[in-house]
Amino acid sequence: MRKEVFISYDPSVISLRKVVELLSFIGYEPNISLNDVTANKAAGNKINKTVSFNRKQIYRIGVAGFCFANIMMLSFPEYFSSGHIEEKGLKETFTWLNLFLSIPVLLFSASGLFISAWKGIRQRFINIDVPIALAIIVTFARSYYEIISGHGAGYLDSGTGIVFFMLIGRWFQDKTFDSLSFDRDYRSYFPLGVTIIIDCVEKNIPVTKLKKGDHIIIRNEEMIPADAVLLKGDANIDYSFVSGENAPVKKYIDELIYAGGKQAGNAIELEVMNAVSQSYITELWNNDVFNVPKNRKQSFIHPWSRYFTLVLFSIAFLTTICWWIIDPSNILPALTAVLIVACPCSLLLSATFTFGNMLRIFGKNKLYLKNASVIEAMASIDCIVFDKTGTITKPNGSVLEYAGVPLSEKEKTVLQHISSQSKHPLSKAIASSLHTQPGWEPLIQGFREYPGKGIAAMADNIPVKMGSAVFIGETGHELLNDDTGTQVHIQIGNALKGRFSISNHYRKGIRKEISALKRSGYDMHVLSGDNDSEKENLHYIFGGGTNLKFRQSPAEKLAYIKQLQASNKKVMMIGDGLNDSGALMQAEVGIAVNDNTMQFTPACDAILDGDHVNSIDKLLRYAKAGKNIVRASFIISILYNIAGLSFAVTANLSPIVAAILMPVSSISIVLFVSITSSLKARHYGL
Amino acid sequence: MSALFILIGVSILVAGSFLAAFLWSVSNGQYDDDYTASVRMLFDNNIPKTPKQKKITKTTN
């Protein structure tokens, strides 16, 4: 099972050397490589390490199996003659052979377990290997004592059997977990789309298909998906996503720009140097440094795991005392069985595997979650706030009409170039409706986008503004009173030219989806930055009783969410991330709707593909079901532990059977949660 | 009955040699790749030919 950790440290507080020493101390000695971490080299290093590790494990299993089987064979005479062997010397031969055969098992095969347990103890943390190590030591010690003092034949068959079955069990466990791996790698859905240029033609492709050498165009507010070299344009890169610094850095042609930076200003053209690393972007996304930590309640499982081993040791202790009083011959089997059979792994693993599987299924349904804790948050919300433009409406609405001073060809070209720099749905609509004058390209400089208001740029040194009436700054003009439809006002060179009216295309099936959500019991709200011309349509879609608020600025949207939370509501905000990032961050769950752009707001908790907005009800219900699955598996594993312990305490459980049951229990719980979560997904049509 | 001691000794030796063979095969890298075997058997003619075999197949076809 692949485990990866990113460590950030403050060099003024701790040195890199101390970090490495700390990692080795807790058992994770890093492999420090000065090589370039290119894809091939890294894979090579990784393979070498896993190969040597796997071989050692196989040696251990082989030796343990060999010794265990031979000890069993040599113990048969003991079993069948119940201790009375006629031939002199045979009995001693067998017992001493057993002793010698058991030594490699204790020193070599079990060494991995002992080392891990020891490392845990050094950290004053009793991990799962400690009780098992203890059980093995107890069995072997008792057996050696019996053999050397001549009191008996010992329990070496049990002891070596425990080691062998534990090793085999762990191996099976790892194989099972590997095959259920939930690594969100290149095969899984990553929702961003990027514009690439092939032979002077622009195409929009999913970001996962990007290859080294591709030429891409990154527009204002779009994120650079992979390390790339600047080819054309004025690059002002905002690295707040990567380093937390807000001040944009100016980059020059041929300079390398790292993935995660955001362009502020005109569109730029880049050549991709490395493949996109989704895990890197997701990891940046998860970095708490720039996000308001949402007080996500710690999973209810955590307290249990900490006290588990303590409870286990107290039970073991009590068992020993009781049997000492009642029947000392039962102490060893009871004690070792108790120490081995209890398995906290099922408690810990059930949540991990359920949510891991669900993340994969959500991804298949085009909802990409930041991490697994979002699932629990999704299951707990009771009210949903929608943004209008881009969320409920499709981003490719069309221009209905233009009213105002007729525009010259040059002016249309200027507007087309400026609006195509922005990814806002309204800008895209205008850009696609205007035709450019061939052969003339205006020099666009100083492009800036004002969220919720409009865009501005200089075209051949003439200032141009496109946006809301307030943004343009002209009021009282007769044209501006005609406030119907979604409007974008145009101002060229400080003169109001006119306005575009843009139709609102609502997403297909949105009305059915909203009624389904209402039936599921969610409170609905709509916040729009637009005027209220769409009130009728929205009433039709949402039905009566829904709160519709218009002309909301980003700050007002944020305040609205806070107000809802003040009345104890758990809010989910769905927006397009363009002018509601504050609200997305404030809500318990913030979902950004993305239509194949590189517009990426780290403030959101999940990214939903625009064409799948109609699955929200199903997805929310699935999240709730997932939480129930975790609860059920938790109860099952507790019941298993209780049953196993009751057999063990009464000395009815042989230690070997206990050693087999332990990995079987983890594997069965993991398979249970994986299969149920997949079946539930099918039940909901996901 | 003393034959039993010899028998036990020899059997342990033989078993030990099997263990040694197992350990050798692991260190020889025969178990490093446990995945592609299941895929390779679906292909034809993937046994690398030695020059001698190549010559033979060329003439006999």
Side-chain angles (χ1 to χ4, degrees):
Chain A
M1 204 161 56
R2 194 188 96 166
K3 299 165 195 167
E4 209 174 64
V5 65
F6 288 87
I7 301 179
S8 358
Y9 67 99
D10 182 354
S12 61
V13 176
I14 186 173
S15 70
L16 179 61
R17 181 201 165 117
K18 287 229 155 58
V19 173
V20 171
E21 285 174 354
L22 181 62
L23 284 172
S24 313
F25 186 63
I26 61 173
Y28 290 97
E29 187 176 314
N31 180 23
I32 302 175
S33 163
L34 295 172
N35 292 331
D36 235 336
V37 185
T38 60
N40 292 334
K41 276 250 169 82
N45 283 339
K46 204 159 63 138
I47 288 174
N48 284 335
K49 265 225 123 192
T50 37
V51 159
S52 57
F53 174 71
N54 279 339
R55 279 195 198 166
K56 206 162 186 199
Q57 277 302 96
I58 299 181
Y59 291 149
R60 286 199 175 118
I61 295 178
V63 167
F66 167 78
C67 296
F68 167 59
N70 279 293
I71 291 178
M72 281 284 272
M73 183 187 78
L74 292 171
S75 305
F76 278 161
E78 177 87 25
Y79 296 159
F80 292 139
S81 64
S82 47
H84 293 304
I85 299 181
E86 291 299 330
E87 176 86 12
K88 229 173 170 235
L90 265 180
K91 185 163 168 177
E92 279 81 42
T93 318
F94 290 153
T95 39
W96 282 93
L97 266 175
N98 280 347
L99 191 136
F100 286 126
L101 278 173
S102 72
I103 293 179
V105 175
L106 181 68
L107 295 181
F108 176 59
S109 299
S111 61
L113 271 166
F114 291 143
I115 293 176
S116 153
W118 174 242
K119 283 198 167 138
I121 293 181
R122 267 207 308 187
Q123 286 283 343
R124 273 178 271 140
F125 177 69
I126 300 181
N127 62 26
I128 181 56
D129 287 333
V130 173
I132 301 172
L134 192 59
I136 296 174
I137 292 177
V138 161
T139 315
F140 273 75
R142 176 67 195 265
S143 311
Y144 287 164
Y145 165 70
E146 274 195 7
I147 294 177
I148 295 176
S149 66
H151 278 148
Y155 306 88
L156 288 175
D157 51 348
S158 255
T160 49
I162 293 172
V163 176
F164 175 61
F165 283 115
M166 288 271 36
L167 289 176
I168 289 262
R170 287 273 164 92
W171 188 78
F172 265 116
Q173 217 173 273
D174 286 343
K175 282 275 169 197
T176 314
F177 295 169
D178 276 346
S179 69
L180 294 176
S181 157
F182 305 121
D183 241 351
R184 292 193 287 177
D185 57 10
Y186 64 94
R187 282 170 294 174
S188 66
Y189 166 67
F190 195 69
L192 302 177
V194 67
T195 312
I196 118 175
I197 306 188
I198 307 182
D199 300 329
C200 299
V201 174
E202 285 183 16
K203 240 175 57 147
N204 208 325
I205 61 168
V207 85
T208 43
K209 296 226 168 87
L210 216 52
K211 296 184 307 295
K212 179 171 165 160
D214 282 341
H215 289 207
I216 56 176
I217 292 195
I218 298 291
R219 297 186 166 85
N220 182 42
E221 289 295 305
E222 284 191 322
M223 183 180 75
I224 290 146
D227 296 340
V229 161
L230 180 62
L231 293 176
K232 246 201 289 188
D234 257 331
N236 287 307
I237 309 294
D238 171 4
Y239 276 116
S240 59
F241 189 39
V242 180
S243 67
E245 284 177 28
N246 275 323
V249 177
K250 188 149 171 57
K251 291 281 185 183
Y252 299 94
I253 310 259
D254 277 347
E255 244 191 286
L256 179 69
I257 304 180
Y258 290 108
K262 252 201 312 194
Q263 162 66 349
N266 296 1
I268 54 178
E269 187 175 328
L270 306 151
E271 176 175 339
V272 173
M273 284 290 123
N274 289 322
V276 172
S277 167
Q278 278 170 219
S279 54
Y280 175 63
I281 297 179
T282 310
E283 189 266 330
L284 287 179
W285 191 11
N286 270 299
N287 198 324
D288 279 331
V289 174
F290 346 103
N291 290 334
V292 170
K294 306 196 182 186
N295 283 329
R296 296 254 162 83
K297 277 199 300 230
Q298 280 279 21
S299 189
F300 59 94
I301 293 183
H302 273 256
W304 285 83
S305 52
R306 246 202 293 165
Y307 299 121
F308 188 89
T309 26
L310 251 72
V311 170
L312 177 62
F313 278 133
S314 11
I315 295 181
F317 186 65
L318 284 170
T319 317
T320 319
I321 304 280
C322 292
W323 280 113
W324 200 326
I325 302 172
I326 302 175
D327 182 2
S329 70
N330 270 338
I331 295 183
L332 199 58
L335 176 62
T336 45
V338 163
L339 285 173
I340 296 176
V341 84
C343 181
C345 8
S346 27
L347 296 180
L348 307 171
L349 292 170
S350 52
T352 317
F353 275 86
T354 315
F355 291 146
N357 200 23
M358 289 175 75
L359 281 178
R360 191 179 56 90
I361 292 178
F362 277 131
K364 266 209 294 193
N365 284 275
K366 311 287 190 183
L367 175 67
Y368 192 79
L369 298 177
K370 177 160 134 175
N371 54 44
S373 65
V374 179
I375 300 182
E376 287 192 72
M378 273 170 74
S380 65
I381 58 155
D382 51 21
C383 99
I384 309 182
V385 176
F386 285 87
D387 179 36
K388 180 180 77 81
T389 314
T391 309
I392 316 180
T393 64
K394 274 165 84 128
N396 52 354
S398 49
V399 174
L400 291 171
E401 57 154 358
Y402 171 77
V405 175
L407 299 167
S408 70
E409 285 302 309
K410 273 201 172 166
E411 287 174 331
K412 282 193 188 165
T413 312
V414 164
L415 290 177
Q416 204 275 342
H417 274 97
I418 293 182
S419 54
S420 65
Q421 302 252 337
S422 159
K423 276 298 187 180
H424 195 283
L426 298 175
S427 318
K428 287 207 303 206
I430 296 178
S432 56
S433 76
L434 292 172
H435 299 293
T436 55
Q437 189 184 48
W440 179 63
E441 217 174 277
L443 177 65
I444 309 289
Q445 285 170 314
F447 175 85
R448 274 195 72 182
E449 192 156 352
Y450 299 87
K453 300 205 184 98
I455 57 182
M458 301 282 280
D460 285 344
N461 292 321
I462 304 173
V464 177
K465 275 183 169 182
M466 303 166 70
S468 67
V470 174
F471 178 61
I472 304 285
E474 303 236 11
T475 49
H477 200 283
E478 61 193 44
L479 269 175
L480 301 172
N481 289 334
D482 192 13
D483 229 5
T484 52
T486 303
Q487 314 207 311
V488 180
H489 302 269
I490 312 290
Q491 186 189 67
I492 301 185
N494 294 323
L496 176 68
K497 286 285 176 175
R499 57 152 175 75
F500 288 94
S501 290
I502 308 206
S503 69
N504 284 276
H505 279 175
Y506 289 94
R507 294 195 190 267
K508 221 165 79 150
I510 192 77
R511 182 158 180 261
K512 262 182 44 184
E513 186 61 21
I514 302 292
S515 358
L517 283 169
K518 281 176 96 169
R519 271 202 306 270
S520 299
Y522 294 107
D523 281 344
M524 315 284 261
H525 307 257
V526 178
L527 298 178
S528 173
D530 233 352
N531 58 40
D532 59 1
S533 55
E534 291 293 318
K535 208 173 189 175
E536 295 282 313
N537 287 335
L538 286 173
H539 267 304
Y540 172 65
I541 294 177
F542 281 83
T546 311
N547 269 321
L548 307 171
K549 284 189 117 58
F550 297 95
R551 299 187 210 274
Q552 298 283 296
S553 70
E556 285 171 323
K557 290 185 184 179
L558 171 59
Y560 191 80
I561 306 266
K562 280 193 177 159
Q563 193 191 357
L564 282 173
Q565 288 175 329
S567 50
N568 264 330
K569 292 246 172 231
K570 301 270 185 285
V571 184
M572 174 162 102
M573 168 87 195
I574 308 185
D576 56 5
L578 291 173
N579 47 19
D580 40 25
S581 38
L584 285 175
M585 189 150 20
Q586 181 65 29
E588 265 78 19
V589 178
I591 298 189
V593 176
N594 182 290
D595 284 281
N596 257 339
T597 67
M598 272 313 293
Q599 210 115 29
F600 182 69
T601 322
C604 68
D605 299 301
I607 306 179
L608 176 62
D609 181 59
D611 291 331
H612 285 77
V613 172
N614 291 337
S615 317
I616 293 182
D617 186 45
K618 281 194 291 193
L619 296 167
L620 286 173
R621 282 209 247 149
Y622 183 53
K624 281 202 175 129
K627 206 160 175 199
N628 288 336
I629 293 178
V630 173
R631 282 205 191 108
S633 76
F634 183 68
I635 294 177
I636 293 178
S637 65
I638 296 232
L639 288 176
Y640 160 77
N641 275 306
I642 293 180
L645 278 172
S646 44
F647 277 108
V649 159
T650 54
N652 279 325
L653 187 62
S654 120
I656 291 193
V657 176
I660 299 177
L661 277 180
M662 191 191 175
V664 163
S665 76
S666 347
I667 294 180
S668 58
I669 293 273
V670 163
L671 287 178
F672 166 72
V673 298
S674 304
I675 293 178
T676 6
S677 54
S678 297
L679 284 179
K680 265 291 170 178
R682 213 177 295 182
H683 167 77
Y684 284 122
L686 291 173
Chain B
M1 257 316 196
S2 55
L4 210 52
F5 291 107
I6 303 177
L7 283 172
I8 293 174
V10 170
S11 82
I12 292 203
L13 265 171
V14 172
S17 67
F18 275 111
L19 179 66
F22 171 70
L23 295 177
W24 171 81
S25 73
V26 173
S27 79
N28 196 28
Q30 295 179 17
Y31 290 103
D32 283 348
D33 171 19
D34 51 6
Y35 176 69
T36 63
S38 61
V39 177
R40 273 186 281 133
M41 75 177 207
L42 298 173
F43 296 126
D44 300 326
N45 297 333
N46 55 357
I47 303 169
K49 294 199 173 80
T50 62
K52 215 180 183 189
Q53 281 177 303
K54 275 202 187 121
K55 248 201 197 161
I56 296 175
T57 48
K58 252 195 172 162
T59 49
T60 55
N61 218 35

